[in-house]
């Protein structure tokens, strides 16, 4: 589809306010041989209860339906893994359903959970996501991930998803990045930033104190992307509890967690990038058509939208989400964001898709220092810090859990509990990790609104989750 | 004696012959750092899937005959009327009417060029292409989409003119039977099994 009707572009509407009241996560690692998946899910659930000062049994009494994100049955070698987890969590006979949308599975799980509450079907729901990516060797893992590409037209070629994605990265690199060495260093900065922030996150397994040169010297994977430009492959679980207003108030009455308004929107685009057709750019509230009139002149080859340089699904998720919540300029209206940094270059592409910078100018978000907790050029707080968890590059990518981990992270900022949760020495010890001597509090002070983007592979599915302090909404009837 | 699994369609049903799976022993996984205690087991498995190309079968058969087929929406009431699709789509993505099959071999020979590419040094299990793999996306004049494939000879550059080559000897009947070479590549330089 290359033209959209008014009905298709209708601003989504929840039938009643929906709240995120708590969330939790397990430790993440490349392999966790001593725990079954359900043990990780129970770890995440217990943490969610603990943040409300409730026992797991007390929290379970409120749950009405359950939404489980688990991307790859074949990784865990268990069809209906959702039913296993549901049973081990002791949540029978509640209705539950599994959700799969590739890398966006976590975000899609939240999407379904939020709609269940918004519609009135349930007053309190569990959204839980996980992935078990340690039970096959890496090359077989790559084969299994490549199975998410088209099995006749793509996966026979190399059996490696990176390749199918990377042709788009190459196009962006040459058209918008102009294959400049300076842009290559900007990409490396993103890796340094995300591995570096992961050092302050006890849940993360990609903590590294590295330099731009380390990234540029790491093994080449798919030119210009190197090993340190890529996300992790992880094991772990994350969950969130989503409620209507009365339940949110009751659940949080003894907790430091202030219930947060939550909205989730979604977009999609062709599974095979090969099927992309040209169309007009769907504009975000902070853009005008005229600003893109000369895009092809400024960036030769950049006049084909979305071509291989943009992610229409991310643009559409933001298009719905911003209009739904009254967001006009994401850089002004949000205080912190978590993006799906599968690769450093896709992080830059997403800045443009969600309107943090106009198309063609994503690199400026990094080069200006706006994306940092503390702007390295000014020493002042970054304008819109991103991926303070370390993201998928530094924290984890346990596919079904990733989108929920991101929301957990932005919520801790809005709750003002980032330091308490990430600085707890007992947690570092429990996870067998050493809290660094230079551990730094990354709490974004006074954060009231946040965004996370969950993204599948080549952009087939993308969700945008927006959290807001209910006392700082941008639109009264959102 | 084991025999590769083979399948035919007869009377509109699959007929299976030979071995489609092999049984192998599970092996214990033990913790070398913790008294060799049991952690789990391996679960070996070897299976053969049966897969139908359905309405795309003609495309894959034609590759082995040196032809590149595409499809075209010919519904006069459709906004996409006249659009040519490569990858081959059985139905028009807009109106869902069945597309006409068109032979675009000559169009590919005359107009194909590299839209983007990626040289990939790694692969997943079961890969059969030589590494590094030179993934390319190929654009054509008057075709709405941009085909994903691989370059068989030379180094890719955006904008490079290429032409299709086909594995007409010992074809695999998969998308790997289609590849591309720089437009000025002489026939004698093609790897074994491939032809223009």
């Amino acid at each position: 589809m290359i033209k959209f009707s008014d009905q298709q572009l209708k601003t989504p509407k929840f039938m009643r306010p929906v709240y995120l009241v708590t969330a939790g996560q397990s430790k993440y690692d490349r392999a966790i041989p001593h725990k079954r998946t359900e043990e990780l899910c129970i770890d995440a659930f217990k943490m969610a209860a603990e943040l409300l000062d409730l026992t797991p049994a007390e929290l379970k009494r409120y749950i009405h339906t359950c939404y489980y994100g688990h991307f790859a049955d074949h990784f865990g070698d268990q069809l209906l893994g959702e039913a296993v987890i549901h049973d081990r969590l002791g949540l029978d006979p509640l209705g539950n359903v599994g959700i799969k949308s590739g890398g966006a599975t976590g975000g899609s799980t939240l999407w379904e959970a939020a709609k269940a509450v918004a519609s009135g079907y349930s007053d309190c729901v569990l959204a839980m996501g996980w992935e078990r990516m340690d039970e096959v060797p890496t090359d077989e893992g790559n084969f299994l991930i490549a199975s998410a590409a088209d099995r006749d037209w793509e996966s026979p070629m190399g059996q490696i998803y990176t390749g199918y994605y990377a042709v788009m990265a190459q196009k962006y690199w040459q058209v918008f990045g102009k294959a400049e060495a300076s842009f290559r260093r900007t990409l490396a900065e993103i890796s340094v930033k995300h591995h570096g922030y992961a050092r302050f996150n006890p849940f993360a397994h990609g903590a590294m104190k590295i330099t731009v040169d380390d990234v540029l010297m790491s093994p080449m994977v798919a030119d210009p992307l190197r090993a340190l430009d890529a996300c992790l492959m992880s094991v772990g679980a994350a969950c969130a509890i989503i409620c209507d207003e009365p339940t949110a108030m009751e659940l949080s009455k003894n907790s430091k967690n202030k219930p947060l308004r939550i909205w989730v929107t979604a977009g999609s685009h062709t599974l095979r990038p090969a099927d992309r057709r040209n169309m007009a750019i769907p504009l975000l509230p902070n853009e005008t058509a005229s600003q893109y009139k000369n895009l092809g002149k400024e960036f030769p080859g950049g006049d084909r939208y979305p071509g291989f340089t943009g992610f229409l699904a991310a643009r559409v998720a933001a298009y719905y989400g911003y209009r739904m919540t009254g967001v006009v300029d994401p850089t002004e209206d949000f205080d912190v964001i978590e993006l799906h940094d599968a690769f450093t270059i896709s992080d830059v592409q997403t800045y443009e898709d969600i309107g943090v910078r106009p198309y063609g100018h994503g690199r400026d978000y990094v080069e200006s220092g706006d994306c940092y907790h503390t702007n390295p050029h000014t020493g002042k707080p970054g304008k819109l810090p991103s991926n303070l968890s370390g993201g998928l590059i530094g924290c984890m990518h346990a596919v079904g859990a990733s989108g929920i981990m991101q929301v957990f992270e932005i919520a801790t900022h809005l709750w003002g509990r980032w330091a308490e949760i990430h600085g707890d020495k007992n947690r570092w010890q429990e996870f067998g990790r050493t809290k660094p001597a230079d551990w730094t509090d990354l709490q974004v002070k006074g954060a009231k609104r946040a965004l996370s983007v969950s993204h599948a592979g080549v952009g087939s599915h993308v969700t945008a989750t927006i959290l807001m302090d209910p006392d700082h909404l941008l639109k009264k009837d959102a | 004696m084991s025999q590769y699994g083979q399948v035919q369609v007869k009377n509109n049903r699959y007929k299976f012959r030979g071995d489609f799976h092999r049984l192998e022993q599970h092996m214990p996984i033990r913790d070398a750092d913790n008294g060799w205690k049991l952690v789990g087991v391996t679960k070996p498995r070897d299976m053969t899937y049966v897969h139908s190309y359905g309405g795309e079968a003609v495309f894959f058969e034609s590759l082995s005959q040196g032809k590149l087929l595409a499809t075209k929406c010919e519904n006069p009431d459709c906004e996409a009327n006249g659009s040519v699709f490569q990858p081959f789509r059985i139905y028009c993505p807009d109106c869902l009417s069945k597309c006409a099959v068109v032979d675009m071999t000559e169009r590919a020979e005359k107009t194909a060029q590299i839209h983007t590419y990626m040289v990939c040094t790694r692969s997943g299990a079961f890969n059969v292409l030589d590494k590094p793999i030179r993934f390319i996306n190929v654009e054509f004049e008057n075709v709405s989409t941009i085909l994903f494939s691989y370059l068989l000879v030379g180094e890719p550059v955006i904008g490079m003119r290429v032409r299709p080559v086909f594995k007409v000897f010992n074809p695999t009947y998969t998308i790997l039977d289609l590849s591309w070479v720089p437009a000025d590549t002489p026939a004698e330089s093609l790897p074994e099994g491939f032809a223009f």
Side-chain angles (χ1 to χ4, degrees), chain B residues 30-172:
Chain B
R30 294 189 175 277
D31 187 346
D33 299 325
N34 193 17
W36 297 100
K37 287 181 181 166
L38 183 70
V39 175
V41 292
T42 64
K43 298 177 79 177
R45 192 174 309 147
D46 183 341
M47 292 172 60
T48 300
Y49 279 78
V50 176
H51 172 50
S52 167
Y53 281 138
E56 293 180 1
V58 62
F59 172 86
F60 291 99
E61 181 93 275
S62 294
L63 295 181
S64 68
Q65 297 159 353
K67 283 191 294 186
L68 180 61
L69 300 186
T71 54
K72 183 179 182 183
C73 177
E74 294 188 336
N75 176 2
D77 299 325
C78 178
E79 285 178 357
N81 174 254
S83 296
V84 175
F85 302 112
Q86 184 62 273
F88 184 107
R89 294 184 77 106
I90 304 164
Y91 293 95
C92 169
D94 285 356
C95 66
L96 301 186
S97 61
K98 199 154 192 174
C99 288
V101 175
V102 295
D103 184 340
M104 62 165 286
T105 316
E106 191 179 341
R107 188 186 321 211
E109 286 168 348
K110 289 182 176 165
T111 73
Q113 61 173 344
I114 294 178
H115 179 76
T116 185
Y117 68 90
M118 176 56 66
V119 179
C120 194
T121 56
R122 299 185 185 184
S123 68
F126 310 112
N127 166 54
V128 295
L129 295 178
D130 292 336
K131 289 184 280 190
I133 304 167
R134 293 163 177 84
F135 293 120
I136 56 172
N137 276 84
V138 185
E139 60 180 67
F140 316 93
E141 273 180 22
N142 301 318
V143 172
S144 302
T145 49
I146 304 174
L147 180 68
F148 182 61
S149 190
Y150 66 104
L151 189 70
L152 194 62
V153 171
E155 293 301 324
V157 176
I158 289 178
M160 174 194 275
R161 277 273 295 111
V162 290
R163 61 181 296 192
V165 292
F166 302 91
K167 195 165 192 307
V168 292
F169 305 105
N170 294 323
T172 64

Side-chain angles (χ1 to χ4, degrees), chain A residues 43 95-96 135 139 179 183 247 285 367 457:
Chain A
D43 286 347
N96 72 87
E135 296 197 332
D139 67 336
F183 181 51
T247 311
E367 292 164 0

